[in-house]
Amino acid sequence: MKKHGRPEIPRKTIYRLSIYLRCLQRLRQNGLETVSSEALARAAGVKPTQLRKDLTYFGQFGTRGLGYEVDQLAKMITDLLGTNHLQPVVLIGVGSLGTALLRYRGFEQEGFEIVGAFDAELRRHRDADLKVPLFPMERLAEIISKHRVKMAIVSVPAAAGQAVINELTALGIVGILNFAPVVPVVPDHVTVNNVNLAIELENLSYFIQE
Amino acid sequence: MKKHGRPEIPRKTIYRLSIYLRCLQRLRQNGLETVSSEALARAAGVKPTQLRKDLTYFGQFGTRGLGYEVDQLAKMITDLLGTNHLQPVVLIGVGSLGTALLRYRGFEQEGFEIVGAFDAELRRHRDADLKVPLFPMERLAEIISKHRVKMAIVSVPAAAGQAVINELTALGIVGILNFAPVVPVVPDHVTVNNVNLAIELENLSYFIQE
DNA sequence: AAATGTGAAGTTGTTCACAGCT
DNA sequence: AGCTGTGAACAACTTCACATTT
């Protein structure tokens, strides 16, 4: 995990922005037009002061004595996160987890489109019901350039992890959601978010003892 | 996400322990018997001093002038995390993501066994190749008590999230790996690790701008 | 000589307290 | 009166510097 670009803003703040956005969307569905930092913070599971501090990294969006306009704040967060337009993504590694991720509807709902899935060995995984086109690794460069892809999801085994990540960064990918259980090394301008499901469970295991 | 039990130890330290363990396992496969904090830290992607500080929360395990014994350190971390014995887990929500998680081999490799998968509507998801037994929600209490389950994976839609989590905690579950896009409310003695794949992608989206 | 263990210093992130709008 | 915006205080975590052990 690395940060850059606007380095003075805590990464956790960016993460919480996404949570605020989800809450705002729900508030909007409920017909709310305005919300106080206290109410929004409670919905997001944080303290009101933290919400306000998070927002002030980017400017002033509220009205004192009143609160925030739901629509306006949601739009500003969307713009800020860069999710206001559809983002093309490639997925590498169509094994058990990769297939699972391809079936998962959650990504497209939030503005991401998996334009291609790649694997070193395609044969086995030709599930007819997958809507995402499958390609051999040889066509990775072509698809990335054709769709101007900047983000990738990596769900290959540990042994292949670093090599695949090297290939992706060489092809211009600058954001990687990495499920491979490795500690990836990438150039400075590339951001990696690591998700390791086994470690999350293992972590729980510690806390439930006794 | 909550902490308790041994509260003085940073949660991030516990998380890194898992990473150290993976690195140690790899070192052991390569026949290494001893490792310095510098070498292990490099493998784990942290600074040597951080590794040493992390370990001293739990005692002294190294030999000055020499380093750490790989086997011994791995065993101590395993004991500490509580992954030295097989841990039964239930999974709630056999939708696209839930099915994916059931197919994922990563959990059992690390000592977790999904003893049952549950869903409000079972019909659709009778994939013959799933090895995990599927049950209706009505049998949740029975299975949890039969296998003495303390951990659960929640992969239901947002709308069902809090209700399912309430049911689980009422049945004695104390550790939850939550994929439902909600901000869960749980009693103090319950630990929740939230994983939100859409938010991870959204977060990347911010960092790749410009 | 080599490498750990650790108090102290430094850095980062959170919360407080209250000034300032509306 | 109510609620935001923010410098200052605080807390948590990381890194340094070096004493200590083999």
Side-chain angles (χ1 to χ4, degrees), chain A:
Chain A
M1 303 213 190
K2 261 187 187 98
K3 69 160 169 290
H4 51 259
R6 308 167 178 85
E8 65 288 346
I9 297 163
R11 196 184 179 108
K12 283 185 170 179
T13 292
I14 308 299
Y15 194 87
R16 284 191 296 264
L17 247 32
S18 287
I19 299 175
Y20 303 151
L21 183 55
R22 299 290 183 290
C23 295
L24 287 166
Q25 286 161 347
R26 219 172 45 238
L27 290 173
R28 182 155 51 185
Q29 281 166 19
N30 295 352
L32 272 277
E33 291 188 357
T34 190
V35 66
S36 70
S37 64
E38 187 178 326
L40 181 51
R42 189 170 39 240
V46 303
K47 297 242 160 80
T49 52
Q50 176 146 76
L51 164 59
R52 298 206 297 274
K53 178 70 89 179
D54 281 341
L55 295 181
T56 54
Y57 285 115
F58 306 100
Q60 304 187 177
F61 306 96
T63 309
R64 300 181 191 213
L66 214 90
Y68 301 89
E69 269 191 47
V70 173
D71 271 0
Q72 182 195 300
L73 188 56
K75 170 147 187 1
M76 106 80 179
I77 294 180
T78 305
D79 289 351
L80 212 92
L81 293 172
T83 49
N84 39 9
H85 45 71
L86 199 69
Q87 183 82 246
V89 181
V90 291
L91 181 145
I92 321 291
V94 192
S96 58
L97 182 58
T99 307
L101 294 172
L102 290 175
R103 285 223 180 72
Y104 181 49
R105 296 278 74 96
F107 293 136
E108 67 194 39
Q109 280 166 17
E110 300 303 336
F112 300 95
E113 183 195 8
I114 302 184
V115 296
F118 298 80
D119 200 299
E121 311 169 29
L122 275 189
R123 38 188 177 64
R124 181 181 33 184
H125 304 291
R126 288 217 167 275
D127 294 27
D129 58 330
L130 286 180
K131 286 172 197 150
V132 176
L134 304 187
F135 300 106
M137 287 300 280
E138 290 74 32
R139 297 191 59 191
L140 184 55
E142 172 205 334
I143 303 293
I144 285 178
S145 119
K146 177 174 158 197
H147 292 274
R148 292 191 161 48
V149 180
K150 292 195 286 185
M151 293 180 40
I153 299 172
V154 173
S155 47
V156 299
Q162 186 62 55
V164 163
I165 287 172
N166 290 347
E167 192 169 349
L168 287 167
T169 56
L171 291 172
I173 294 297
V174 289
I176 297 175
L177 182 52
N178 175 45
F179 291 88
V182 295
V183 181
V185 181
V186 292
D188 265 7
H189 67 282
V190 177
T191 305
V192 181
N193 279 7
N194 292 301
V195 176
N196 190 319
L197 301 177
I199 285 187
E200 294 297 332
L201 262 194
E202 200 164 279
N203 187 263
L204 275 184
S205 167
Y206 171 83
F207 288 101
I208 67 167
Q209 293 178 87
E210 178 125 4

Side-chain angles (χ1 to χ4, degrees), chain B residues 149-168:
Chain B
V149 180
K150 291 195 288 185
M151 292 178 40
I153 299 172
V154 173
S155 47
V156 300
Q162 186 61 53
V164 163
I165 287 171
N166 290 347
E167 192 168 350
L168 287 168

